Amino acid sequence: MNSLVISNLSKRFNNIWAVKNLSLELKKGEIFVLLGPNGAGKTTTLKLIAGLLHPDTGCVSINGIDIKKDPVKYKSLLGYVPDEPFIYNKLTGREFINFVAGIFGVKKEEYERSLPELFKRFEIGDWIDAFAETYSHGMKQKVIMCQLLIHNPMFILIDEPLVGLDPKISKNVRVTFTELSNNGKTLFVSTHTLSLAQQIAHRIGIINNGEIRFVGTPEELANIAGRKDIEEIYLKLTEQS
């Protein structure tokens, strides 16, 4: 069974198609990276998969569970990192992680065992016990990565994962993605950074004006490019029509 199945997914805002007739299947353990310029439909696609937006047409399922038929079970399998990391200002980072763990029914002793390793991986210091309103974007992103992993989701959605992170933590994030994949987790990552896709993706999708222009492996994209730079092909596929 495929981990993710998307069938004819569409969403329109004010007669403009943000996503149009998107169909896609991801296998267990696959890292799929969706590339595209700003406004191409990447974030809308992720929000539709996460259940934060309702599609005009189409359906989405994870491990055979349809989001429309069993949304609670569907979302219990899902971890999501939005493009803008959100933490309640009057909670500390630790309190926010505890809050998320509680939503997913993770026992206190279980997530408290996990926290030291996560804090070390993402270089989280004593500021974790300060109010989130004092955090920089990068600090929030680190906390959001911890809350993503605290409940051990089977399917992971991440929108622009490296924004605000320094090079060392960005590398740790890429290593973490590969480890998750090796452990059978499926990842759907949205970005406009071609280099990230080349480093971690099993397959790449390129979207523009709400429509998929390419789906294939990094090697297949390179073959299309031929002697040209892959970036040149990406720019060609994302030209405004």
Side-chain angles (χ1 to χ4, degrees):
M1 178 185 296
N2 287 315
S3 177
L4 174 74
V5 177
I6 302 173
S7 301
N8 298 316
L9 198 65
S10 297
K11 183 66 179 180
R12 184 169 54 185
F13 298 104
N14 297 325
N15 295 320
I16 296 175
W17 291 104
V19 176
K20 188 175 182 180
N21 297 329
L22 172 61
S23 293
L24 182 68
E25 297 185 6
L26 269 59
K27 296 179 180 179
K28 181 181 178 181
E30 181 175 4
I31 302 177
F32 181 85
V33 178
L34 184 64
L35 287 167
N38 293 333
K42 303 187 303 298
T43 294
T44 300
T45 298
L46 264 69
K47 287 183 176 180
L48 289 167
I49 297 171
L52 297 176
L53 291 174
H54 296 291
D56 294 324
T57 65
C59 56
V60 186
S61 64
I62 294 176
N63 289 358
I65 299 168
D66 190 306
I67 188 172
K68 294 180 180 177
K69 295 179 180 178
D70 195 347
V72 174
K73 179 63 175 177
Y74 175 98
K75 292 178 182 180
S76 72
L77 303 174
L78 178 69
Y80 175 56
V81 172
D83 55 335
E84 288 290 335
F86 174 80
I87 305 173
Y88 293 106
N89 282 335
K90 295 303 181 181
L91 291 182
T92 68
R94 189 187 304 273
E95 288 170 341
F96 182 76
I97 295 169
N98 293 350
F99 171 67
V100 172
I103 289 175
F104 285 95
V106 182
K107 294 180 180 179
K108 184 177 181 180
E109 58 269 23
E110 291 179 5
Y111 70 73
E112 287 188 344
R113 279 198 303 267
S114 303
L115 286 180
E117 193 280 328
L118 289 172
F119 287 176
K120 181 179 179 180
R121 180 180 293 252
F122 298 113
E123 295 190 351
I124 291 176
D126 292 341
W127 54 263
I128 193 66
D129 293 309
F131 287 132
E133 63 187 2
T134 67
Y135 292 177
S136 67
H137 187 287
M139 292 162 74
K140 288 181 179 179
Q141 191 77 350
K142 291 179 181 182
V143 173
I144 291 297
M145 290 301 300
C146 289
Q147 67 82 32
L148 169 73
L149 301 175
I150 201 68
H151 64 97
N152 195 30
M154 293 302 300
F155 183 84
I156 296 169
L157 280 171
I158 306 180
D159 200 349
E160 295 295 355
L162 304 184
V163 174
L165 299 178
D166 63 49
K168 182 179 179 181
I169 300 303
S170 294
K171 181 179 179 181
N172 289 351
V173 168
R174 293 193 296 270
V175 170
T176 298
F177 289 172
T178 300
E179 291 175 354
L180 290 167
S181 170
N182 291 339
N183 288 328
K185 312 298 185 183
T186 307
L187 289 85
F188 191 117
V189 181
S190 167
T191 184
H192 59 260
T193 306
L194 181 58
S195 59
L196 175 63
Q198 291 177 289
Q199 291 166 353
I200 68 169
H202 296 118
R203 283 192 300 159
I204 292 171
I206 296 178
I207 188 171
N208 198 33
N209 294 328
E211 296 187 74
I212 291 290
R213 305 296 176 87
F214 169 87
V215 174
T217 66
E219 293 76 19
E220 288 169 338
L221 182 59
N223 288 337
I224 292 174
R227 294 185 179 181
K228 297 180 181 179
D229 191 290
I230 290 179
E231 186 177 53
E232 185 178 339
I233 296 300
Y234 165 72
L235 293 173
K236 182 70 174 177
L237 290 169
T238 56
E239 284 180 351
Q240 296 296 321
S241 57

